[in-house]
Amino acid sequence: MISDGMAEVLRSLRLGQGGDPAQACARALDAAGVALSLLVGADRTAEPLWCHPELSARFEELQFTLGEGPGPEAVRTGAPVLEPDLDRVRPERWPVLLPAARDMGVEGVCGFPLGIGAIRVGVLTVLCDGDRRISEQQYADATALAAALTGAFLNGTGRGNGHANGTAPRPDRIPDWPTGLNRPVVHQATGMISVQLGVPIQEALLRLRAHAYGSERPLGEVAADVVARRLRFGDDLDDDISGPYSPDTGKG
């Protein structure tokens, strides 16, 4: 059964009430942070919609750049990925993300996919607090939130208020829906690299990520250089495959 706090949050979303939904969700979940991303484009890039606080936005960008972490893994598997204590995660699982997350001060992360069956529409990332654990109530609330948001994205309509039987009210619409994508340049650059190298979109995104990692630059900046034709991927660009990724396996 979901908590009263999460029921109120979902009711607010259903009614399209104002305020910061990410902050409200983080408070209801008693979490250190919350980020909600929607998968968009042919390359299924995670587009951030909500983030609170700023640390969540930074961690979401880290996951996006590296393609590692609970969020990307939850999207790939379609199942929640619960790692409330990152110190207990095997280093080889997320070799690049783990040390960077520790440097940020992120102690634990859980990823909840938004989707039904093989359909994936997004991911909810929850930063855990200093207790380095997730309670049964937090898990129930987070899964209810993910289910409600999945229904909103897939159907666009609510189906009752629920809660009397422990079910989550489903939002009719998502407040503050973005008028444009935050990462259009990444989608455009990925398409250009795909054409330049004659490779699929997914491989082109790996190449872009690898170059950003190797050059220690934000992914958006590298993408902007590609779109502005200051950077071209091809046989004459040796370092476009440097870093922890390889186009053959996704990781080196």
Side-chain angles (χ1 to χ4, degrees), residues 32-35 51-61 125 127:
V34 168
C51 291
H52 178 84
E54 192 267 340
L55 177 62
S56 290
R58 290 169 52 208
F59 184 78
E60 197 74 350
E61 185 67 21
T125 301
L127 303 188

Side-chain angles (χ1 to χ4, degrees), residues 79-96:
V81 177
L82 310 178
E83 294 296 348
D85 187 352
L86 290 182
D87 285 343
R88 299 174 65 88
V89 178
R90 300 186 312 276
E92 62 271 19
R93 185 177 181 184
W94 300 318
V96 186

Side-chain angles (χ1 to χ4, degrees), residues 105-150:
V106 175
E107 298 177 319
V109 188
C110 298
F112 298 85
L114 274 59
I116 299 176
I119 301 173
R120 309 277 192 275
V121 295
V123 61
L124 176 72
T125 301
V126 178
L127 303 188
C128 301
D129 60 17
D131 290 340
R132 295 175 182 257
R133 67 182 183 87
I134 180 170
S135 68
E136 292 183 4
Q137 186 64 70
Q138 287 173 311
Y139 181 83
D141 284 350
T143 53
L145 175 60
L149 292 170
T150 297

Side-chain angles (χ1 to χ4, degrees), residues 169-196:
R170 297 177 63 178
D172 286 321
R173 59 191 178 90
I174 305 299
D176 301 322
W177 186 264
T179 57
L181 298 178
N182 295 322
R183 293 175 174 143
V185 68
V186 174
H187 303 294
Q188 187 176 353
T190 301
M192 292 174 65
I193 294 169
S194 176
V195 172
Q196 290 169 8

Side-chain angles (χ1 to χ4, degrees), residues 79 104 122:
M104 284 183 177

